[in-house]
Amino acid sequence: MGPIGVLCLQGDFREHLQTFEALGVETVRVRKPADLEGLKGLVIPGGESTVIDKLSSTFGLRDPIIELIGRGLPVFGTCAGLILLADRIVDGVATQKTFGGLDVTVQRNAFGSQLESFEADIRFEGIEEPVRAAFIRAPIVLETGPEVSVLATLNDGRVVAVRQGNVLGISFHPEVTGETAIHEYFAQMCKTVDFKSRN
Ligand code: GLN
């Protein structure tokens, strides 16, 4: 089985690389289309979704990533990464595009100015212990389609983690709190999801 790719265009990709390293999971930095060959999974990090969107087009990564998601490659987006995996966004900038893959509507910067950043311990479906989550100008999932499973909510019921088959998206950053359980969950997903690389 191949390594997990981390999209290294902008944002907190280093923290994702470090988290997988702590778990002993092999990674590859993805900056150009050839880096996508032979991956068993792909991470879209947090950062600024409008910038990652633009850079992925500039570097010719947008179309191959969309194709791989459609073919069933396991993909994991955190925060801006969740926005990029959503089929629909609210409060995006006019020209902003997404890769899609999750039949959800996501609202950008959903926590407003007073609560721009906070940490919380949240329950995550399929993980026994609560996970330590950092929310940084975080989005929220407003609507989910019938194929989407909700994996975590805040105490008030707002949805912050979803999965649809091969695509996992979360509003928050486990990779900045030293939390490794969700990366372990994704590494497991990469083993169990049926994806056949052509390479
Ligand atoms: N607000 C950012 C965006 O819209 C996401 C913030 C983050 O990834 N921490 O892309």
Side-chain angles (χ1 to χ4, degrees), residues 46-49 79-80 83 108-109 136-137 173:
E48 178 49 53
S49 54
C79 202
I83 296 168
R108 283 180 73 220
N109 302 327
I136 305 165
R137 293 184 305 118
H173 298 273

Side-chain angles (χ1 to χ4, degrees), residues 121-132 151 179 181-182 184-185:
D121 290 316
I122 59 170
R123 291 243 153 243
F124 195 96
E125 188 75 34
I127 297 176
E128 206 162 316
E129 297 292 320
V131 298
R132 188 72 183 160
L151 300 182
E179 178 62 68
I182 302 179
E184 216 174 328
Y185 176 100

